[in-house]
Amino acid sequence: MWKSKASSISTVNSPKENKRTGYTIPAGWMVMVISSVVHLDPEIYENPFEFNPWRWEGKELRSGSKTFMVFGGGIRQCAGSEYARLQISIFLHHLVTTYDFSLSKDSEVVRVPSPFFPNGFFMNISKCSNK
Ligand code: HEM
């Protein structure tokens, strides 16, 4: 079995029949891991659509966890996950401490198989008045 190139959807191709996981994956089938289904499962994350940064407190957030799969898992998990987390932290810090921002109009969001905004995402951004 082998995994595809990096993408937000991990796929595994099965060149021959595979029964290792307890499920039978027929030869030639592709198994697709849709991580957003895990991240939006209310049994794992209470009110998954609510913005709640504190939800992560005390959770297992290492790459490869079965309840946090942003960076995939297994031997092909994201090689840049720590770098990406650092860059995102720096970006968010500067965004919220330097700028005021708000939605300029509601945007449609599609969450599965991968989050995207089919009609765009519109924001008002201005420098904080005290900066
Ligand atoms: C928010 C940012 C990122 C996300 C959400 C992300 C997510 C992922 C995911 C889901 C995979 C597939 C894992 C799997 O198949 O199980 C992957 C693979 C990979 N990512 Fe990232 N990634 C991010 C940023 C980066 C950055 C910044 C780098 C490099 C500097 C990077 C390098 C790689 C590489 C090299 C792989 C392939 C690993 C392999 O096939 O052995 N990623 N990433």
Side-chain angles (χ1 to χ4, degrees), residues 109-125:
V109 56
V110 175
R111 293 191 162 87
V112 175
S114 186
F116 76 103
F117 300 90
N119 303 316
F121 184 77
F122 302 92
M123 292 180 80
N124 302 309
I125 301 181

Side-chain angles (χ1 to χ4, degrees), residues 3-4 6-8 10 70-73 75-80 83-84 88:
K3 285 192 175 181
S4 76
S7 96
S8 60
S10 298
V70 173
F71 296 103
I75 57 167
R76 303 301 297 272
Q77 68 184 269
C78 180
Y83 177 70
I88 292 167

Side-chain angles (χ1 to χ4, degrees), residues 84-95:
R85 284 175 206 238
L86 178 66
Q87 291 295 332
I88 292 167
S89 303
I90 293 169
F91 169 77
L92 286 177
H93 169 80
H94 286 289
L95 179 68

